[in-house]
Amino acid sequence: MVSAIKKGDVEDTIKRESRYPAIKRRAVNKVRAMGYRVEDIDLEEKNKRGVFEIEAKRGSQKYEILLSYPNLDVMKVRKD
């Protein structure tokens, strides 16, 4: 039997991991080290994988930054 992965399953599974809070803090620290002020961070599911979606500012400009979970590779930086 093939089980379908429902939206939210990946997010829920990741958020239950014991390492999740530490990786989330590392994500915030990485974006700060890139010169941004973090305003919000959420875990989203993209292509059945976890992705941190971060709202950040540099000066008065707003950005959306996507980092892969758990290795925190920068996937996208987009001006809002």
Side-chain angles (χ1 to χ4, degrees):
M1 181 175 146
V2 176
S3 65
I5 297 178
K6 297 190 307 285
K7 180 147 178 63
D9 283 357
V10 171
E11 295 163 55
D12 293 341
T13 301
I14 290 172
K15 287 180 179 177
R16 284 194 299 268
E17 291 179 3
S18 60
R19 65 185 183 158
Y20 173 74
I23 294 173
K24 185 174 178 180
R25 277 194 303 278
R26 282 192 11 238
V28 169
N29 290 339
K30 178 173 183 154
V31 171
R32 286 182 180 151
M34 292 164 57
Y36 297 91
R37 227 171 36 253
V38 175
E39 307 223 305
D40 192 28
I41 180 169
D42 272 324
L43 185 73
E44 299 290 329
E45 179 187 333
K46 299 213 187 292
N47 301 323
K48 297 187 176 79
R49 302 185 63 146
V51 174
F52 281 120
E53 195 170 276
I54 300 164
E55 292 176 21
K57 282 181 104 172
R58 184 185 278 163
S60 61
Q61 182 65 56
K62 290 185 176 189
Y63 293 85
E64 180 184 78
I65 301 168
L66 301 182
L67 299 181
S68 64
Y69 181 91
N71 54 7
L72 305 181
D73 291 332
V74 177
M75 298 169 65
K76 184 192 286 187
V77 176
R78 180 175 66 85
K79 282 185 182 181
D80 260 353

